[in-house]
Amino acid sequence: MVIVRDLVKTYGTGANALNGVSMDVNAGEVLVLMGPSGSGKTILISISILGGILTATSGSVTIDGREIVGMPEKELPALRRDLFGFIFQDFTLFPALTALENVAVMCRLKNVPHPSRQAAELLESVGLGAKLKSYPADLSGGQKQGVAMCGRCCANASGDFPERRRGCAERWRSQDSALAPR
Amino acid sequence: MNILAWKNLLHDRVRLGVTLPGIVFTLVLIAVQFGMFLDFLDTSANVVGHNTADPWISAPGIPNVNGGSPIAESKRRKAMQVAGVETAASFTLFFLNWKLPNGAFQSCQVAGFDLDSGMGAPGNVVEGRIDDLRGEDTVFIDELYKKKLGVSRIGDTLELNGKRVRVAGFTRGIRSFTTAPYVFTSFKNAQTYMRLREAGTVFILLRTKPGADLAAVKAGVQAAVPGVEVFTRAEMLKRTQNYWVFGTGAGTTTLMGAILGLLVGIVVVAQTIYAATIDHLKEFGTLKAMGATNGQIYQVIILQAVLAAVMGYALGISIALFVVNSTANTDLLIKLPWQVAIGIFGMTLLMCMSASLLSIRKATTIDPAMVFRG
């Protein structure tokens, strides 16, 4: 569960990006954040959901009971790695890596055993078994989305691997991967 | 994560085509410039450096080995009596005019050495025998300077300082850093060419007895032989190199060229590696958002720089060796000793890694909004 209270982000110039935002995100909940350009959506996500990539000026963000505002920098990467997964607008795959390597890199980040093998199984489970050696430039938008989702499945899902693979495939089929909570 | 570094470097052929040549030509520039400087350093004092004599006796206050003035040869006998001295031999080095077949004059440096002790004799004789220099008016020249001195074969007869001279042999690879080639002859012949008084020499070369203390021998000779200055071989070498390298425009220009080559190289490599890293900034942002630690991002960036350095070095040093080899038998030699080649490798690694470190801060403080906005 994510609890945000009175979150303020002020830039050095004195401009406020966030001015006392509060919200709760429950486990399993799908939340859509909408607002005009420049309203602070990205800043809010960067401080809270992205696990403290940006630091808040004041306020509180609690994730699964852990306060992350003021958390030492060295503890934040593990938080991002273990609790969150993202699929960006353009999927942000590594153009120099094949589909298999893209997923395997994410598996390695998570210290998953046999990352290449598990990456291959994940890609096969979403029907991209024939694209293991394809580069992002050779994939369609949907296929890129599939590769990006497999990377996040590998890197974030808890539980045993077959379960994770099934979950990944299901999300792929339902095409809601970008919003699916973990 | 290592695969990301490797493939980031190789995947974009256009970027690789910009990164590698930048490093390669930088290395060639540095290797050639320093090679020329090292050669200048070596050839400016090769008469001393390739001579086994130690210490040397000369007239007081000479600026370098090429600037000696006559001293009485009788001082040789006094030097012989000093404890620790095994042999003392006369040696001359003087600029004289060599008359070419067409009547023009070419300056040369005449080295007259003692045939019995062999101190000051040229090495690497490729035609003729050193003993042939016992003949009157005989000289050796280096085959590099045949054309310059108007010589084609052994037995050719020309004129040196107005006296007849006959070529008795050739050496290989004894180059002069000035426009005046070396001409080797016996000390006796040299006295004649230089029109020295019968009892004159320019240097007295000493060889110490095995186990003798060089400093003590030098001090003993200095005390026993009046009106001279005694130099160890290292001192004479340093004095000569300092004079030509730092006391003349030629040496300073070569050194400045080497230093500028290094500075230009550092800037080119820094820019190239920095640009290559910044090109992948968004990917590092993605890694960070996914939970990569700064250490893991450093690892990818530094490994990318190291791989570029190794590939650039392999190509660059190959081209530099080709250039070095192609000058081996020319008037202009570029030296690339293995120690320098290893030093250049270390410097390349350092340059590439330093440049990548400059971009690391940018990569690890990346604004995640950049990743979000695509």
Side-chain angles (χ1 to χ4, degrees):
Chain A
M1 184 176 182
V2 180
I3 303 169
V4 178
R5 291 287 176 270
D6 304 321
L7 200 62
V8 174
K9 174 69 180 175
T10 307
Y11 288 118
T13 57
N16 268 354
L18 297 177
N19 196 6
V21 176
S22 295
M23 66 174 185
D24 292 348
V25 187
N26 294 308
E29 185 179 359
V30 175
L31 182 76
V32 178
L33 202 59
M34 292 175 68
S37 178
S39 61
K41 302 183 296 296
T42 302
I43 301 298
L44 175 60
I45 292 171
S46 299
I47 293 174
S48 56
I49 312 295
L50 266 177
I53 279 189
L54 291 185
T55 53
T57 307
S58 65
S60 159
V61 177
T62 309
I63 300 170
D64 280 355
R66 296 170 69 187
E67 174 61 54
I68 68 162
V69 173
M71 185 181 270
E73 173 63 34
K74 62 180 180 182
E75 293 178 24
L76 292 172
L79 192 78
R80 293 175 206 134
R81 189 186 62 208
D82 297 338
L83 295 181
F84 298 106
F86 306 94
I87 300 207
F88 301 103
Q89 283 174 32
D90 62 350
F91 315 122
T92 53
L93 299 177
F94 300 113
L97 302 186
T98 62
L100 177 68
E101 290 162 347
N102 260 286
V103 179
V105 161
M106 292 304 164
C107 292
R108 279 194 189 92
L109 262 184
K110 176 73 176 174
N111 295 322
V112 169
H114 313 296
S116 293
R117 197 182 74 199
Q118 299 215 8
E121 288 176 10
L122 277 167
L123 285 165
E124 280 160 10
S125 74
V126 298
L128 291 174
K131 298 288 183 183
L132 298 184
K133 293 186 177 176
S134 298
Y135 287 92
D138 302 323
L139 298 175
S140 68
Q143 288 168 334
K144 284 179 191 169
Q145 187 185 33
V147 173
M149 191 191 61
C150 286
R152 290 6 164 219
C153 285
C154 187
N156 292 284
S158 54
D160 62 6
F161 187 72
E163 177 61 33
R164 192 183 316 167
R165 198 170 56 192
R166 264 196 303 280
C168 203
E170 282 164 13
R171 283 197 291 276
W172 166 249
R173 284 187 207 101
S174 62
Q175 294 290 300
D176 64 352
S177 55
L179 300 173
R182 308 294 192 264
Chain B
M1 302 295 276
N2 294 349
I3 193 173
L4 187 58
W6 177 246
K7 296 196 79 170
N8 266 353
L9 196 64
L10 295 184
H11 182 72
D12 185 345
R13 299 295 161 90
V14 176
R15 163 56 66 191
L16 187 66
V18 173
T19 305
L20 274 190
I23 299 172
V24 167
F25 288 112
T26 293
L27 292 187
V28 173
L29 177 70
I30 292 172
V32 168
Q33 288 285 353
F34 269 93
M36 286 169 66
F37 175 70
L38 287 177
D39 179 58
F40 187 83
L41 206 60
D42 185 50
T43 53
S44 66
N46 58 2
V47 170
V48 184
H50 297 171
N51 198 319
T52 55
D54 198 2
W56 290 50
I57 299 173
S58 75
I62 64 165
N64 57 68
V65 76
N66 310 88
S69 52
I71 54 175
E73 206 199 348
S74 59
K75 295 179 190 295
R76 187 172 64 87
R77 286 186 288 278
K78 283 186 179 167
M80 279 290 286
Q81 289 163 6
V82 174
V85 173
E86 184 180 83
T87 314
S90 300
F91 181 71
T92 61
L93 188 65
F94 231 80
F95 283 94
L96 291 177
N97 278 330
W98 176 282
K99 191 175 181 183
L100 299 171
N102 64 7
F105 288 97
Q106 165 66 50
S107 179
C108 64
Q109 295 181 77
V110 178
F113 65 96
D114 176 60
L115 284 167
D116 295 326
S117 72
M119 283 192 285
N124 207 14
V125 173
V126 290
E127 269 189 77
R129 293 175 304 116
I130 288 287
D131 254 9
D132 295 340
L133 291 175
R134 292 189 189 278
E136 200 177 335
D137 301 336
T138 51
V139 296
F140 272 41
I141 65 165
D142 196 275
E143 59 183 10
L144 273 175
Y145 300 109
K146 277 181 174 177
K147 193 175 174 187
K148 194 167 196 173
L149 294 174
V151 173
S152 56
R153 64 180 73 84
I154 287 179
D156 281 359
T157 303
L158 295 102
E159 210 173 276
L160 178 60
N161 204 23
K163 292 183 179 296
R164 178 180 177 274
V165 70
R166 182 166 56 86
V167 176
F170 295 104
T171 60
R172 178 172 293 162
I174 302 181
R175 292 170 312 105
S176 167
F177 70 101
T178 67
T179 54
Y182 286 115
V183 171
F184 292 93
T185 188
S186 68
F187 174 69
K188 193 180 163 194
N189 285 340
Q191 276 186 315
T192 310
Y193 291 126
M194 293 166 70
R195 302 176 196 277
L196 279 174
R197 286 183 293 116
E198 186 79 12
T201 183
V202 177
F203 296 101
I204 296 167
L205 306 184
L206 304 180
R207 183 180 291 148
T208 55
K209 289 177 179 167
D213 178 56
L214 183 62
V217 172
K218 179 191 165 187
V221 173
Q222 189 67 73
V225 185
V228 296
E229 191 165 355
V230 186
F231 299 93
T232 64
R233 180 170 162 274
E235 288 167 346
M236 182 64 89
L237 192 74
K238 193 174 176 188
R239 175 173 283 230
T240 301
Q241 285 177 332
N242 282 348
Y243 178 86
W244 290 113
V245 175
F246 301 110
T248 69
T252 311
T253 304
T254 314
L255 181 61
M256 285 299 289
I259 293 170
L260 281 176
L262 180 64
L263 292 178
V264 169
I266 288 172
V267 171
V268 169
V269 169
Q271 280 187 330
T272 306
I273 293 289
Y274 182 80
T277 308
I278 294 299
D279 264 6
H280 297 288
L281 206 55
K282 191 176 173 187
E283 293 163 35
F284 297 129
T286 306
L287 276 179
K288 189 167 181 178
M290 295 303 167
T293 60
N294 282 347
Q296 286 171 310
I297 294 173
Y298 294 162
Q299 185 189 329
V300 174
I301 292 173
I302 290 174
L303 186 61
Q304 212 169 295
V306 168
L307 289 170
V310 170
M311 290 167 68
Y313 178 79
L315 284 169
I317 210 71
S318 302
I319 295 173
L321 283 172
F322 173 76
V323 173
V324 166
N325 286 335
S326 64
T327 65
N329 292 316
T330 66
D331 201 3
L332 171 74
L333 191 69
I334 301 168
K335 281 181 175 292
L336 187 58
W338 64 268
Q339 296 93 331
V340 174
I342 288 177
I344 289 176
F345 179 63
M347 194 186 64
T348 310
L349 273 181
L350 192 68
M351 285 193 298
C352 290
M353 287 172 66
S354 305
S356 71
L357 288 172
L358 289 176
S359 55
I360 273 183
R361 185 170 159 70
K362 187 113 181 162
T364 54
T365 56
I366 183 174
D367 180 357
M370 177 186 176
V371 186
F372 272 98
R373 285 167 190 151

